Every structure is written in structure tokens, then in C-alpha cells.
Amino acid sequence: GAGVSQSPSNKVTEKGKDVELRCDPISGHTALYWYRQSLGQGLEFLIYFQGNSAPDKSGLPSDRFSAERTGGSVSTLTIQRTQQEDSAVYLCASSPPGLAGGGQYFGPGTRLTVT
Amino acid sequence: AQSVTQLGSHVSVSEGALVLLRCNYSSSVPPYLFWYVQYPNQGLQLLLKYTSAATLVKGINGFEAEFKKSETSFHLTKPSAHMSDAAEYFCAVSENSGAGSYQLTFGKGTKLSVIP
């Protein structure tokens, strides 16, 4: 079946602009995660959704970052007033219900470059 | 707090040789443990997972890993390296954050090169 998809695959933006990154999880996966991968920091957790709720936002680095999920499916990560340090690959992952140890399935990521 | 240490940021092996990628973890509770592989410009692919069943876990592409609680280790092995195994490998640990999240905490990764 279809895996996790993300769009766009690449995004170049100017410092100070807002960007939106989209994630389509695997159908039926109730849990959705956003991670960030950068050279300096490695892979970092950003936010977790269960259905449309986000009970764990502890990884968001600043209030410029926000995310929502609608219909228990598509999620959008928004970065306002982008800074150069936001340049990274943003990865989305989903996992099926009731399988805490089932592992997460990742999308191909969105490479964000802030100039 | 949980953490993962991967020894060796870069490992080189000859084609056909044993692959051994090391991972040690710390966790306050019995963890879920994972190995992921990342090919250039791609996302992460789940190789295998440990979820408190058998301590020797077999994954895809001939990889396996052994959970050793006494050593807090979860090393990844493959008997015979293939050129297509060249990639970056990440070890990860997961435990309930208390908010229902089983977010992954990753090691810094080990880049595997395979020499023909």
C-alpha cells in the first residue's frame, strides 16, 4: 500500500517568510510524528499527534513552529518568520494504533533551505 | 531520560565481510529498540525492532540484532556485506513519554561504507 508522503520534497525560502510542510500518513495510522534532521543536531522529535490532538509538543524549538492535523489524517507543520537555523530535513512518521512497539514509518522528508 | 550511543560515526567493511554496528542505550524502563537505515536523500526505513519478545531479532536485508539487557546493547550485524548496504544506520529507543507519545530518540548515526 501507499507509504507516508510529504510535500514539497524541497523548499527554498527567504529568511523571514512563512512555510508550510505537508504530511500524508499511512491510511489508518492514528499516531503521527514530526522530526527534524540537521547536521548539527541529528534527528530530533518535534511533535506527536494522536488523532487530531497534539498531547506532546515538547520538541517544538520555538513558538514560531506550529502544527495541526485534520480528519485524523493530513498534518501541516508551519514555520513562521523562518530563520537560517531552521534549515533542515523535516521528516514525518506514522504508526498504527495499539502497537506502541510497532515502529514508525517515515516519509521521504522535506528539505528546507532558508536563505 | 532515554539516550542512545552509537560507537563509530563511520564504519568501512569489505564486500563479503561481517558488518557490526554498535548501539548502547539508556532507559529507565524496558525499552522498545529499533534500527533504521537511510539511503542518500531518502527517508528512514525500518530494518528491525525489539519489543520484549525474542532477544535475537531478524530484520530485512539479512540484518539481525541482539538485545543484551546486562550490557544495555542492541548491536546490528550482518554476516556478509553487500555493496547495496552502504547507507547510514540509526539506532533508536522508544518509551512512553507520559503523554501517550512513543517518540523515538535516535543515536547520531553510523555511516557504513562497503569496499569492493
Side-chain angles (χ1 to χ4, degrees):
Chain A
V4 178
S5 61
Q6 292 186 245
S7 61
S9 55
N10 281 285
K11 177 72 177 179
V12 180
T13 190
E14 292 180 353
K15 178 181 172 181
K17 301 284 190 184
D18 298 353
V19 295
E20 287 189 350
L21 312 179
R22 177 186 168 106
C23 171
D24 279 275
I26 295 171
S27 178
H29 282 196
T30 55
L32 185 148
Y33 300 79
W34 283 97
Y35 295 85
R36 179 168 71 174
Q37 184 174 26
S38 58
L39 280 175
Q41 302 299 322
L43 279 152
E44 304 172 283
F45 164 77
L46 296 177
I47 188 169
Y48 157 71
F49 285 91
Q50 180 59 242
N52 293 334
S53 301
D56 191 344
K57 306 178 183 179
S58 61
L60 294 178
S62 77
D63 58 8
R64 295 186 296 105
F65 287 72
S66 63
E68 66 174 12
R69 188 179 184 194
T70 55
S73 181
V74 172
S75 177
T76 302
L77 177 69
T78 300
I79 309 173
Q80 295 179 309
R81 305 181 302 282
T82 50
Q83 303 294 313
Q84 287 187 329
E85 61 262 28
D86 300 334
S87 295
V89 177
Y90 289 82
L91 294 163
C92 174
S94 67
S95 63
L99 288 176
Q104 297 172 22
Y105 298 86
F106 283 79
T110 294
R111 182 175 298 276
L112 175 66
T113 303
V114 181
T115 61
Chain B
Q2 53 194 1
S3 66
V4 177
T5 303
Q6 290 184 240
L7 293 177
S9 59
H10 198 160
V11 170
S12 291
V13 299
S14 298
E15 190 175 15
L18 171 72
V19 176
L20 170 60
L21 304 182
R22 300 179 187 273
C23 172
N24 289 87
Y25 70 92
S26 69
S27 175
S28 57
V29 297
Y32 299 114
L33 293 161
F34 307 88
W35 276 98
Y36 284 86
V37 60
Q38 187 175 37
Y39 297 100
N41 300 313
Q42 294 189 24
L44 296 164
Q45 182 182 5
L46 180 63
L47 267 181
L48 50 78
K49 58 190 178 189
Y50 167 76
T51 58
S52 77
T55 57
L56 183 61
V57 180
K58 295 187 184 299
I60 62 171
N61 302 338
F63 284 94
E64 62 182 37
E66 186 173 8
F67 172 68
K68 291 187 176 180
K69 184 179 179 181
S70 61
E71 298 177 7
T72 60
S73 69
F74 191 56
H75 302 330
L76 182 71
T77 60
K78 182 174 180 178
S80 176
H82 192 273
M83 296 299 293
S84 61
D85 295 327
E88 190 157 19
Y89 293 79
F90 293 91
C91 181
V93 63
S94 169
E95 61 182 59
N96 192 329
S97 70
S101 168
Y102 283 87
Q103 69 219 50
L104 296 167
T105 299
F106 289 91
K108 292 191 180 298
T110 297
K111 190 166 289 187
L112 176 67
S113 298
V114 181
I115 305 165

